[in-house]
Amino acid sequence: MKSILGAGNALTDLVFTLPDKSLLEGLGLRAGSMTHVGRQEQERILGLLEVCGRAVIPGGSAANTVAATARLGLRSGFIGMVGDDAIGRIYAEEMQGSGVEAHLLKGKNPSGTAIAIITPSDGERTFATYLGAALELSPEHIDCNLFLGYDIFHLEGYLIQCPQVVEQMLRCAKLRGMTISFDLGSFNIVERNRSLLQSLVGEYVDIVFANGEEAEAFTGEGPEGAAQAISSMGKGKIAVVKLGADGSIVRRGSQVCRVEAKRVKAIDTTGAGDAYAAGFLYAFAHGADLNDCGVCGTVLASEAVVELGPKIGKNGWEVVKKGVGEILKAKD
């Protein structure tokens, strides 16, 4: 069986729920965005949110994805950096408890955290992220031997704040002959780094995950045009454009699959894209065709949005494993 290695910012989510988006203005945050903040700004935002209850959930985009593939039974690993503190230890325990081989480096700064603000009316999430120790990750930390024994490498766009690290990782993965998967992360990440991301995708990446806004920021095109533009950036390149309730578009060359979304009541979209990538890559690792990869991604994403936080709950996993198993079994 194939295996997957993820890499990204090792962040613990501090999840808050607000009654409506109007309150975000007072926090200085754009609805649906991911904003990097310093320690003082993080403390200011936390002070304003202290009247709200919060949940503490170890996560990060690529970490969420490989934790889900591990739960599905795929050998999964993760590279990241945490602080030598309680949050870092909780993070390591969470990853190991999910069955992930955690290659966690130790930094001098506190472990990174992401304030995740949810508006239940539409399930949208807004992030204020303090990267902390994650910013200390450097090319010298990336040993290509870490990539040995894995078949798929999944990288998150949020790590682009360390471009030399991203390129070193991509070189290692390519050297090992791995299939390289890249999630663009967020539209403001893409807007600030479009030329660099286009260059890296063109040279190294085999599978690109993007939501509608990210795909447009990356290509200047709507969903259909973006899928075509991304897939044309290299022979055999797979474009996956996620459109929430409108499903997803999966394209490789002239092959186009339009995958319908599963109709559910979304409570919190945090982690839905990470879950979709997990389902897609799990099916891909099992040799499924593109349409079934997209359907498996949809199965996981639909269970991720019906509960608060980025993780699928216990009952959700029963639904996921049954659904994905039936899809892949039908192709055997």
Side-chain angles (χ1 to χ4, degrees):
M1 183 185 294
K2 291 185 180 294
S3 55
I4 184 170
L5 176 68
N9 292 320
L11 302 176
T12 296
D13 293 336
L14 308 177
V15 183
F16 296 86
T17 302
L18 295 184
D20 60 72
K21 293 182 180 179
S22 64
L23 298 174
L24 291 172
E25 186 175 342
L27 298 174
L29 300 173
R30 177 181 170 185
S33 69
M34 194 288 291
T35 304
H36 287 302
V37 298
R39 191 74 182 276
Q40 288 187 333
E41 178 65 5
Q42 183 198 45
E43 292 298 330
R44 183 189 74 84
I45 294 172
L46 287 173
L48 294 172
L49 292 171
E50 64 182 358
V51 296
C52 306
R54 75 179 185 184
V56 179
I57 307 172
S61 178
N64 288 338
T65 294
V66 297
T69 57
R71 289 289 298 268
L72 286 169
L74 195 67
R75 182 187 169 219
S76 306
F78 176 74
I79 301 171
M81 179 168 275
V82 296
D84 188 10
D85 52 23
I87 287 181
R89 289 187 286 277
I90 291 170
Y91 194 94
E93 291 169 2
E94 176 76 11
M95 294 297 285
Q96 291 163 2
S98 297
V100 177
E101 299 167 0
H103 308 286
L104 294 176
L105 302 160
K106 294 288 182 67
K108 297 179 181 178
N109 286 305
S111 297
T113 54
I115 299 171
I117 302 169
I118 315 301
T119 48
S121 58
D122 56 9
E124 190 171 48
R125 79 279 195 221
T126 303
F127 287 99
T129 302
Y130 167 67
L131 291 171
L135 275 176
E136 297 177 54
L137 197 61
S138 69
E140 290 72 30
H141 291 119
I142 309 306
D143 185 340
C144 288
N145 288 328
L146 289 172
F147 295 71
L148 282 170
Y150 295 101
D151 304 290
I152 299 168
F153 178 54
H154 180 66
L155 185 64
E156 64 179 65
Y158 294 115
L159 199 59
I160 201 66
Q161 84 272 348
C162 305
Q164 295 87 0
V165 170
V166 168
E167 193 151 15
Q168 172 69 359
M169 287 179 169
L170 292 172
R171 281 196 295 264
C172 287
K174 189 169 185 177
L175 177 67
R176 299 300 182 197
M178 301 169 74
T179 296
I180 298 175
S181 164
F182 191 89
D183 191 312
L184 292 181
S186 77
F187 66 84
N188 47 346
I189 291 286
V190 178
E191 286 175 343
R192 290 197 298 267
N193 302 278
R194 182 166 61 180
S195 294
L196 173 59
L197 289 171
Q198 287 176 340
S199 175
L200 294 174
V201 165
E203 184 172 356
Y204 295 104
V205 179
D206 302 295
I207 305 172
V208 178
F209 291 96
N211 66 24
E213 287 182 306
E214 294 155 9
E216 184 173 0
F218 188 63
T219 66
E221 303 282 347
E224 299 279 355
Q228 180 178 4
I230 294 169
S231 67
S232 67
M233 294 177 71
K235 184 178 180 181
K237 204 173 296 293
I238 299 170
V240 183
V241 181
K242 303 164 292 180
L243 301 170
D246 292 325
S248 56
I249 301 169
V250 183
R251 181 164 186 150
R252 178 169 54 196
S254 60
Q255 181 185 5
V256 184
C257 304
R258 294 173 178 82
V259 182
E260 291 186 3
K262 185 178 178 181
R263 300 302 170 189
V264 296
K265 184 178 180 180
I267 294 175
D268 174 12
T269 60
T270 307
D274 306 333
Y276 183 105
F280 188 101
L281 293 171
Y282 178 78
F284 182 86
H286 283 76
D289 61 35
L290 292 186
N291 186 74
D292 284 346
C293 288
V295 174
C296 287
T298 299
V299 169
L300 268 74
S302 66
E303 290 301 320
V305 301
V306 297
E307 298 187 39
L308 186 66
K311 303 291 178 68
I312 297 171
K314 181 179 179 181
N315 292 337
W317 274 113
E318 294 178 5
V319 174
V320 162
K321 289 180 179 179
K322 180 180 178 181
V324 169
E326 288 176 350
I327 294 164
L328 298 182
K329 185 178 180 180
K331 294 298 182 179
D332 289 342

